[in-house]
Amino acid sequence: MKKLILSVDTGIDDALAIAYAAGQQEMELIGLTVSYGMSTVENTYRNTRKFAELIGLTVPVYMGSSKPMVRPGRDYRTTGSRIHGRDGMANMFGEHVPEDIEGAVPEEAIDYIIESVHRYGKDLVLVTTGPMTDLAKVIKKDPKVMEKIGAIYSMVGALAAPGNVNPYMEANAGMDPEAVKFVLESDPPLTVIGLDVTRKTLMSLEDLKRWQEIGTERSGFLSGCVEFYLDAYRVMHPYLKGCALHDPLAVGAALHPEWIHTVPMHLTCVTEGEADGRTCEDLSRCDDPVYHSAGALFVDSKAFEKHFFDTVERVLRG
Ligand code: CA
């Protein structure tokens, strides 16, 4: 059975991805790594551990980077997220306390991923649903891991669709464009699961009502998070009939690659000017006939959504 590492920045849709990864039976989830992103790394690490505990998931959780590679990090004291809450968790957990991060070693996620690749090789699948800072550091520290790893599926970027930060920039790519550029230009066996496909997989108010009716502590907590998330989507993306299942789809694509249609591409990320943060084809490599990366441009939303809701509802029932 393939081994799965999920790299998150929890985040409401990361929590959905964790619940999905915990309940699926296709791969063995062996660990979670957490970087800064939807909040400070201290908060996202705490969110991940507390949420995993709530749903009875006992895999180890490793702390990753606290800021982007080159740019200054966001000031989380002044930029509370409308979509995820200032704590990343719909403001349900608040600011972390020292005990929340007891035992965590800064950036231990980098070595954990490297060691896992050397241990499991092609049997290891990595799914990333946050900034690419940790993965860039993995490749910088040990470039060989990209030849050894089985596959990477990353919720990042927007290839043919517009961004969600601005017309060019998707949020994960925008958090550390230099890291995205470095990773994509390293030619990893990576499939970009970007806004092209993730905005076509939705959770609606009807889906939320079903979760609320389950009536467990788990379902109450996650329903509260999704309610917050849906409220933000109604205001910010009123053209969608629900909230996008961005991060869960990266897990779904790893489990069932047949649900997505991909195009082989040499990819990069723009790091300056108006199109800063845009993921696109790297034309400097257009004469290279060997492609390692690909972009997903179509998804069988119905197949994915059925599997996602069946799986997560099983987890929420406990
Ligand atoms: Ca995320």
Side-chain angles (χ1 to χ4, degrees):
M1 188 180 245
K2 297 241 182 209
K3 314 288 181 192
L4 173 66
I5 294 176
L6 179 55
S7 290
V8 292
D9 66 330
T10 317
I12 294 171
D13 60 328
D14 299 88
L16 297 176
I18 293 168
Y20 184 32
Q24 54 77 32
Q25 286 156 351
E26 283 84 343
M27 291 185 191
E28 183 192 351
L29 178 64
I30 58 167
L32 301 170
T33 73
V34 196
S35 85
Y36 76 95
M38 293 301 124
S39 189
T40 61
V41 72
E42 291 83 6
N43 282 346
T44 58
Y45 176 84
R46 180 276 319 270
N47 295 348
T48 307
R49 285 193 56 173
K50 271 184 102 160
F51 182 70
E53 193 183 327
L54 178 70
I55 61 168
L57 177 64
T58 55
V59 299
V61 180
Y62 300 92
M63 187 182 270
S65 302
S66 60
K67 59 180 175 44
M69 289 211 305
V70 179
R71 303 182 193 204
R74 226 165 87 182
D75 184 350
Y76 291 100
R77 289 165 307 176
T78 54
T79 54
S81 164
R82 172 78 176 88
I83 295 189
H84 296 268
R86 185 158 296 183
D87 62 353
M89 210 79 273
N91 299 324
M92 306 238 277
F93 286 160
E95 187 59 28
H96 78 282
V97 294
E99 301 85 78
D100 289 331
I101 54 167
E102 228 164 42
V105 179
E107 303 206 1
E108 60 187 338
I110 317 297
D111 284 333
Y112 169 67
I113 294 172
I114 291 172
E115 282 160 21
S116 301
V117 174
H118 287 295
R119 186 160 175 198
Y120 297 113
K122 296 290 175 199
D123 283 335
L124 184 73
V125 174
L126 174 68
V127 172
T128 75
T129 63
M132 289 212 138
T133 317
D134 286 349
L135 184 52
K137 288 179 182 171
V138 164
I139 301 171
K140 266 189 198 286
K141 191 163 182 181
D142 187 349
K144 282 265 177 254
V145 299
M146 289 302 105
E147 290 166 28
K148 287 193 158 186
I149 196 167
I152 306 170
Y153 291 85
S154 292
M155 194 287 125
V156 69
L159 299 169
N164 54 359
V165 176
N166 63 40
Y168 300 106
M169 187 187 274
E170 176 278 329
N172 281 345
M175 277 192 274
D176 194 347
E178 282 78 11
V180 178
K181 178 181 165 72
F182 180 78
V183 169
L184 294 178
E185 291 185 4
S186 308
D187 244 358
L190 185 149
T191 304
V192 165
I193 306 296
L195 298 177
D196 312 283
V197 282
T198 64
R199 273 195 295 222
K200 291 171 185 158
T201 56
L202 296 174
M203 178 160 181
S204 68
L205 207 53
E206 289 68 48
D207 299 318
L208 174 63
K209 280 188 186 134
R210 230 172 35 244
W211 286 14
Q212 286 167 330
E213 281 162 12
I214 293 173
T216 58
E217 190 188 357
R218 300 170 181 191
S219 69
F221 178 80
L222 201 55
S223 297
C225 291
V226 171
E227 207 170 350
F228 185 93
Y229 196 56
L230 268 168
D231 275 349
Y233 261 83
R234 260 197 298 277
V235 176
M236 299 174 77
H237 306 284
Y239 51 91
L240 293 177
K241 305 275 180 287
C243 57
L245 296 168
H246 299 295
D247 292 351
L249 182 60
V251 174
L255 302 177
H256 288 278
E258 72 275 14
W259 291 342
I260 53 165
H261 293 193
T262 61
V263 176
M265 289 184 197
H266 298 300
L267 289 162
T268 186
C269 184
V270 179
T271 55
E272 59 190 0
E274 188 189 1
D276 187 27
R278 181 185 174 203
T279 47
C280 60
E281 188 106 40
D282 179 2
L283 293 179
S284 71
R285 291 185 289 159
C286 63
D287 57 349
D288 179 354
V290 182
Y291 292 90
H292 298 283
S293 305
L297 293 177
F298 179 82
V299 57
D300 182 347
S301 307
K302 282 206 161 43
F304 163 70
E305 286 168 3
K306 178 170 181 2
H307 190 254
F308 169 77
F309 288 115
D310 286 353
T311 304
V312 175
E313 281 165 30
R314 210 166 47 235
V315 170
L316 295 182
R317 278 190 199 96

